[in-house]
Amino acid sequence: MSEKELRREMAVLPISVVRELTGLSDRQIRYYDQQGLITPKRGAGKQRRYSLNDVDRLLEIADYLDAGYTISEIREVEHKQIIRRQQASSDAALRNALQDEFLKIGRFGNQSHF
DNA sequence: GTTCTGACA
DNA sequence: TGTCAGGA
């Protein structure tokens, strides 16, 4: 694992920073945490400490969310992503794997939304 | 002052 | 989801 990856995983960001970086309300950020979409580390006093990966994940989550996906749908895909990580070595492969999963659930394919 | 959990006019 | 309470 490269140092870059390690740094992306160090959870040092307070929720206030994540809030500005993602444009999400802290209410939403904590809610997604409850739903298991993100798992920030905890610092003194149970305070959440986010990593750059968490920020990235939140950005994606917010993206899929207003694209019409539900929390559970995202949670399922995220779960499969963990399994894929053990198989897919490159980021590109991971991306494609994710895309596939969402396409399968397909809210865009033929079903109409709105 | 900041963050946390639980709750709901 | 916003927002308030009450505590750390």
Side-chain angles (χ1 to χ4, degrees):
Chain A
M1 193 178 277
S2 72
E3 284 186 41
K4 255 185 198 172
E5 295 174 76
L6 284 176
R7 280 193 288 260
R8 290 187 66 70
E9 289 180 42
M10 42 174 93
V12 297
L13 282 32
I15 196 167
S16 57
V17 173
V18 178
R19 196 199 326 165
E20 296 186 68
L21 255 34
T22 63
L24 295 169
S25 64
D26 48 314
R27 175 73 166 81
Q28 292 174 297
I29 298 173
R30 294 191 185 109
Y31 180 63
Y32 301 155
D33 181 14
Q34 289 185 219
Q35 302 312 300
L37 268 43
I38 55 174
T39 46
K41 299 292 182 295
R42 293 290 186 140
K46 298 187 187 310
Q47 299 193 167
R48 275 165 267 245
R49 289 298 159 68
Y50 304 83
S51 68
L52 294 180
N53 280 330
D54 292 325
V55 175
D56 249 44
R57 186 187 305 263
L58 281 170
L59 255 18
E60 304 276 293
I61 292 172
D63 222 55
Y64 289 123
L65 232 35
D66 63 42
Y69 292 98
T70 67
I71 298 289
S72 54
E73 285 172 334
I74 297 176
R75 191 195 298 110
E76 287 176 29
V77 174
E78 279 285 304
H79 183 262
K80 290 179 182 177
Q81 172 179 15
I82 295 175
I83 300 175
R84 302 266 181 177
R85 271 178 184 163
Q86 301 170 46
Q87 304 167 51
S89 54
S90 70
D91 252 32
L94 185 64
R95 283 287 182 183
N96 291 326
L98 267 178
Q99 296 291 29
D100 281 1
E101 294 306 330
F102 275 109
L103 285 176
K104 282 180 185 174
I105 296 178
R107 174 142 302 184
F108 296 124
N110 38 63
Q111 220 95 79
S112 67
H113 54 308
F114 301 102

